[in-house]
């Protein structure tokens, strides 16, 4: 049971590039979400999904897209990277509305 | 959205001491969780506690939903308790989970 996995662990992008952060869980959880954490701050919700085919915006959705075609996977797409998107990104899943389990995070730097 | 305030922002303890961390929130919630982020960045769920009291070893938590606050108690602290403790809440009208800014705990040997 791997829990929540995220790839890559580290990524450097140039301004304007696009990329996809991968997130997968093997616990058959319905609820999955993406957060960003900036230095010295708590986590802020970007997008979430309550099941396959259903996604919704969180607190800071601009510049990001998501889709949920399967229960297991919830990729996060950066459409045109900006320096303001430099952050650590965490994916989480839960058997809604219970305990959330977090992945190890992806550290993204946009230059 | 719901506002979440945690106090104190920083806490330094000697090993063996007890501590209480507080989380205030601005509206009624159907979900409240406490997390520990260790010095390597990993987030671990401590408690799912929208109301009532729970205990897990040296840690316990109490949420008084009617008064909109939750408390996390750490007894006999150890150096491995160091890190940042986050409170996160979710209101009744959506699935938008909001985190507080955290309490940074340092336990000295």
């Amino acid at each position: 049971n791997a829990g929540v996995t995220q790839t890559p662990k580290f990524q450097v992008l140039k301004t304007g590039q696009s990329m996809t952060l991968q997130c997968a869980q093997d616990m058959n959880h319905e609820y999955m979400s993406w957060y960003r954490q900036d230095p010295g701050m708590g986590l802020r919700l970007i997008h979430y999904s309550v099941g396959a085919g259903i996604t919704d915006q969180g607190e800071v959705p601009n510049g990001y897209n998501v889709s949920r075609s399967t229960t297991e996977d919830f990729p996060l797409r950066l459409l045109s990277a900006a320096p303001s998107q430099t952050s650590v990104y965490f994916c989480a899943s839960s058997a809604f509305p219970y305990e959330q389990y977090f992945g190890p995070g992806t550290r993204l730097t946009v230059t | 959205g719901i506002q979440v305030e945690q106090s104190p922002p920083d806490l330094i303890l000697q090993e063996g001491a007890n501590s209480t961390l507080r989380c205030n929130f601005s509206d009624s919630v159907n979900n409240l969780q406490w997390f520990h982020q260790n010095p390597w960045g990993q987030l671990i769920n401590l408690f799912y506690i929208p109301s009532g009291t729970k205990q897990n070893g040296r840690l316990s938590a109490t949420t008084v939903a009617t008064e909109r606050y939750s408390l996390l108690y750490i007894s006999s602290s150890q150096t491995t308790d160091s890190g940042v403790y986050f409170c996160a809440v979710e209101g009744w009208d959506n699935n938008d989970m909001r985190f507080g800014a955290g309490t940074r705990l340092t336990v000295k040997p």
Side-chain angles (χ1 to χ4, degrees), chain A residues 28-106:
Chain A
N28 202 32
H29 285 166
E30 298 168 351
Y31 184 89
M32 296 186 73
S33 52
W34 277 102
Y35 296 87
R36 60 177 288 172
Q37 184 177 30
D38 300 308
M41 295 179 66
L43 282 72
R44 290 184 292 168
L45 183 64
I46 304 171
H47 286 285
Y48 64 93
S49 168
V50 297
I54 306 169
T55 63
D56 207 344
Q57 296 181 349
E59 186 182 356
V60 289
N62 292 341
Y64 307 94
N65 270 358
V66 292
S67 59
R68 184 98 180 268
S69 55
T70 67
T71 299
E72 295 77 21
D73 300 297
F74 191 43
L76 177 73
R77 283 181 287 278
L78 278 70
L79 309 172
S80 176
S84 61
Q85 294 178 305
T86 292
S87 190
V88 181
Y89 291 84
F90 288 96
C91 178
S93 76
S94 70
F96 180 79
Y98 304 114
E99 294 90 344
Q100 286 206 50
Y101 295 89
F102 280 85
T106 294

Side-chain angles (χ1 to χ4, degrees), chain A residues 3-42:
Chain A
V4 181
T5 58
Q6 292 183 237
T7 56
K9 285 188 169 49
F10 301 94
Q11 182 71 48
V12 179
L13 290 178
K14 289 189 164 67
T15 296
Q17 288 184 315
S18 62
M19 78 159 295
T20 299
L21 307 185
Q22 301 292 344
C23 174
Q25 53 92 8
D26 60 0
M27 298 173 280
N28 202 32
H29 285 166
E30 298 168 351
Y31 184 89
M32 296 186 73
S33 52
W34 277 102
Y35 296 87
R36 60 177 288 172
Q37 184 177 30
D38 300 308
M41 295 179 66

